Amino acid sequence: MANISRPSSVEELMDRCFALAGRTVGEIAARHGRVPSSLLHYKGWFGQLIETELGADAGSTPVQDFTELGIELKTIPLDGEYYPQETTFVCAAPLMNISGITYEGSNVRNKLARVLWVPFTGSRDVPVADRIIFTPFLWSPTPQEDLELRTDWNEHMEKIATGLVETITARDGAVLQIRPKAADGRALTQAVGRDGTIVMTRPRGFYLRKAFTERIIDRAYSLKRDPATLKILS
DNA sequence: AGATGATCATAT
DNA sequence: ATATGATCATCT
């Protein structure tokens, strides 16, 4: 596989995106090696494939995928009716040394400031190689969406700051939830405890609820779940 | 059926 | 262990 350079402009990045639109994963992956039959053991495979195709080179460093362009890349699987099939991981939830952190300066705000969404077929009954890449699009939170995110973020961080991490469940947060994010259930990390002490707990991450990303998809594609308008996806 | 909690791969 | 990339699968 030849290396693909970083796109030097948003236009160049989007041109590469449009070249992927409507094509199958099998076609795109042909020059990258074999396509897994299931994503069970390769959960991030598609995301990494698209990163490579678009010229992202951040690797596992903690920066945006396209730093110079200020853009974060997110692939999102859609089910048979074009609804998000999974929640979207945003970033790890800080559980220590959080005094002074504000929503404005948070990782959540930064990551979601400008996102390049790459929707694709997520249905498990469709072979990975046959899945379709829909038209990618750029998104930034509307003032309303930013407020929704801020509200949830503040609520979650207030609990974390006061030693209530363990009381947070995935049911909390209207659009932004907190769930475990680790290799397995044995992974532990430090967190603020009840009396300001340090306790060990499971690492957590911020995730966007499907109802939230569904609105984003709807807006981008002007979707009203009307079969007649679905063709624009491919 | 859909959401919550758990888990999978790789690099550093 | 933490960062990146996420989806799986059990439970309600």
Side-chain angles (χ1 to χ4, degrees), chain A residues 26 30 35 49 51 59-60 63 67 84 92 103 147 182 205-206 220:
Chain A
V35 177
L49 170 71
E51 273 190 349
S60 62
V63 297
T67 317
Y103 173 68
L147 177 59
F206 283 114

Side-chain angles (χ1 to χ4, degrees), chain A residues 62-229:
Chain A
V63 297
Q64 286 165 309
D65 297 290
F66 301 101
T67 317
E68 299 82 355
L69 304 179
I71 293 172
E72 174 72 16
L73 173 66
K74 287 291 178 197
T75 55
I76 181 168
L78 303 185
D79 65 20
E81 298 202 297
Y82 304 95
Y83 284 94
Q85 183 165 283
E86 300 291 346
T87 53
T88 301
F89 172 72
V90 179
C91 61
L95 306 180
M96 285 289 288
N97 309 314
I98 52 180
S99 62
I101 301 181
T102 61
Y103 173 68
E104 280 67 29
S106 74
N107 211 188
V108 167
R109 184 80 177 305
N110 274 267
K111 292 266 185 180
L112 300 181
R114 199 140 134 93
V115 177
L116 170 58
W117 294 98
V118 181
F120 69 106
T121 311
S123 310
R124 295 182 201 174
D125 57 5
V126 175
V128 178
D130 297 340
R131 298 186 188 185
I132 303 296
I133 296 161
F134 302 130
T135 305
F137 63 91
L138 284 173
W139 164 85
S140 285
T142 60
Q144 167 62 27
E145 288 169 334
D146 191 59
L147 177 59
E148 294 179 288
L149 293 166
R150 173 198 311 271
T151 300
D152 287 344
W153 187 91
N154 282 152
E155 181 181 311
H156 292 314
M157 293 310 294
E158 173 65 21
K159 289 178 182 170
I160 292 173
T162 53
L164 301 176
V165 200
E166 301 289 6
T167 72
I168 301 174
T169 79
R171 296 170 196 77
D172 299 319
V175 301
L176 185 70
Q177 60 181 177
I178 282 187
R179 304 213 309 277
K181 162 65 172 173
D184 53 51
R186 281 128 275 171
L188 294 175
T189 190
Q190 297 184 325
V192 177
R194 289 275 180 178
D195 308 302
T197 56
I198 294 176
V199 298
M200 298 306 284
T201 190
R202 288 145 55 233
R204 316 300 169 88
F206 283 114
Y207 295 81
L208 295 178
R209 287 187 181 284
K210 291 192 277 186
F212 185 75
T213 51
E214 177 189 325
R215 276 151 47 190
I216 296 174
I217 296 292
D218 274 353
R219 202 161 78 230
Y221 293 154
S222 297
L223 264 188
K224 292 293 181 286
R225 304 302 152 193
D226 174 0
T229 68

Side-chain angles (χ1 to χ4, degrees), chain A residues 12-92:
Chain A
E12 184 176 3
L13 173 60
M14 295 316 289
D15 280 345
R16 292 181 186 180
C17 283
F18 299 145
L20 299 181
R23 298 178 67 194
T24 67
V25 170
E27 291 174 334
I28 303 305
R31 52 198 294 277
H32 297 272
R34 81 176 257 291
V35 177
S37 54
S38 156
L39 297 183
L40 171 55
H41 297 290
Y42 303 91
K43 298 183 179 182
W45 182 84
F46 183 69
Q48 309 219 300
L49 170 71
I50 298 304
E51 273 190 349
T52 303
E53 272 297 315
L54 297 179
D57 63 352
S60 62
T61 57
V63 297
Q64 286 165 309
D65 297 290
F66 301 101
T67 317
E68 299 82 355
L69 304 179
I71 293 172
E72 174 72 16
L73 173 66
K74 287 291 178 197
T75 55
I76 181 168
L78 303 185
D79 65 20
E81 298 202 297
Y82 304 95
Y83 284 94
Q85 183 165 283
E86 300 291 346
T87 53
T88 301
F89 172 72
V90 179
C91 61

